[in-house]
Amino acid sequence: LGGECTVDQVRKKLHGLAHQATDKKHAWSFAHGKVAPASSFSDALRRASRTILHQHDDPYAFVKPEQPPLCSRYTVLAIRAKALALQSDDAMAQIARVALEDDAGLKLVERGSVGLEMSVEQPSLTDAQLAAYVQTLGGSSLRDRVDADALPDILHDLAGCAHTSFRNALEAIVKACPGSSLLGGCASDTAVKSVSRMRAKVHEYRAEEGATWPACARVQDPLRATILCESSAVMLAALEQVEARPFRLLRLKNNLASEKKPFNLHAVLEYTTKAVGVPLVVEVQLLFDDLLPLFEHTHNLYSVYRARSFAERHT
């Protein structure tokens, strides 16, 4: 399919595949031999085509004057990637439900989310003395340059200085919670957010209506890590540790209770360490280890179906 077919033809063909009698169920199996039933591929294909062809007819299509738009070959690839991602989502949801079927899992679900409505900012970048200093240097004409150019570098350096103690604090949590581990060992190349990504977030925040200065203060994950847990009991114990000193819980997004991807606990914390003279807002995620292969698999598929062409995919 693709290249020679119109958008409507591709849609009909893909939807027709969903009703063939030869349709088979697919399943994903991962660590410890656990298997989670997923939706059939044809069903996922139908859902994916509805999403992509409905939302992206114009960007994906090659349009000729007075002719129906043709569906590019990349569109078909994107649809198949989306379908596989939907199957992965279904499998992750099933694995998470099974993992929560005990008393500890019930407690995790009942915990719910905390502080989602509150504004969280980096204390070091919201100090009145900083605003006064920028005003003295150059006033409003300098504010945006400081926000976009100087503050991301400062926040990155603070995170770099705090990284070793941050990793040690998390290693202590993992040691206290048998059955847990640190994803990637909390290595600095992934735990410390890059300056370029910080600047990208600053520009994104500044573009929002009613944005406040400095936008860089809203970067909540200059330091981030993921704790992998083999069971709900381990995750509950790790969560209790994460809420204790040297951390202070500011926000908890419970994607297990809401049954939303990526089916994890997403904690935004205030971290205090002697390595840095001011508290840092950091991010720690708690994830069932059986979900990790699917999580990485889905992330790769996401990069395919979010792109609009082969060229964009490889840039």
Side-chain angles (χ1 to χ4, degrees), residues 231-300:
S231 68
S232 57
V234 173
M235 184 175 289
L236 184 61
L239 177 60
E240 292 172 352
Q241 293 283 332
V242 163
E243 294 180 284
R245 296 181 63 182
F247 300 105
R248 183 170 71 89
L249 183 67
L250 302 176
R251 178 185 296 166
L252 178 66
K253 187 174 183 181
N254 192 332
N255 292 311
L256 293 172
S258 60
E259 293 191 345
K260 291 182 179 179
K261 185 181 173 182
F263 308 101
N264 66 351
L265 299 181
H266 184 163
V268 177
L269 311 162
E270 185 178 271
Y271 173 58
T272 304
T273 172
K274 293 181 180 178
V276 179
V278 292
L280 275 177
V281 175
V282 301
E283 175 188 283
V284 175
Q285 299 186 45
L286 284 77
L287 180 73
F288 289 122
D289 54 11
D290 284 332
L291 292 178
L292 182 61
L294 280 167
F295 189 80
E296 295 175 339
H297 173 71
T298 306
H299 180 75
N300 292 332

Side-chain angles (χ1 to χ4, degrees), residues 152-170:
D153 280 302
I154 292 173
L155 186 57
H156 180 267
D157 288 345
L158 289 173
C161 291
H163 169 257
T164 300
S165 61
F166 175 68
R167 182 181 59 198
N168 291 341
L170 293 177

Side-chain angles (χ1 to χ4, degrees), residues 15 26 63 76 111 131-132 142 196 205 217 241 259 275 277 291 295:
H15 289 188
H26 285 232
V63 181
V76 178
R111 177 64 191 273
L142 191 63
S196 61
Y205 294 145
Q241 293 283 332
E259 293 191 345
L291 292 178
F295 189 80

Side-chain angles (χ1 to χ4, degrees), residues 31-49:
H32 312 300
K34 292 186 177 179
V35 177
S39 57
S40 67
F41 181 70
S42 59
D43 176 67
L45 197 64
R46 183 174 68 253
R47 291 155 59 195
S49 64

Side-chain angles (χ1 to χ4, degrees), residues 14 28 41 44-45 47-49 51-52 60 73-89 261 297-307 313:
L14 289 176
W28 302 93
F41 181 70
L45 197 64
R47 291 155 59 195
S49 64
T51 300
I52 290 180
Y60 277 110
R73 287 182 172 85
Y74 193 85
T75 304
V76 178
L77 175 64
I79 291 171
R80 296 183 69 85
K82 177 70 173 179
L84 289 169
L86 288 171
Q87 279 196 293
S88 293
D89 292 348
K261 185 181 173 182
H297 173 71
T298 306
H299 180 75
N300 292 332
L301 292 169
Y302 176 83
S303 68
V304 174
Y305 69 77
R306 287 293 294 174
R313 170 66 178 84

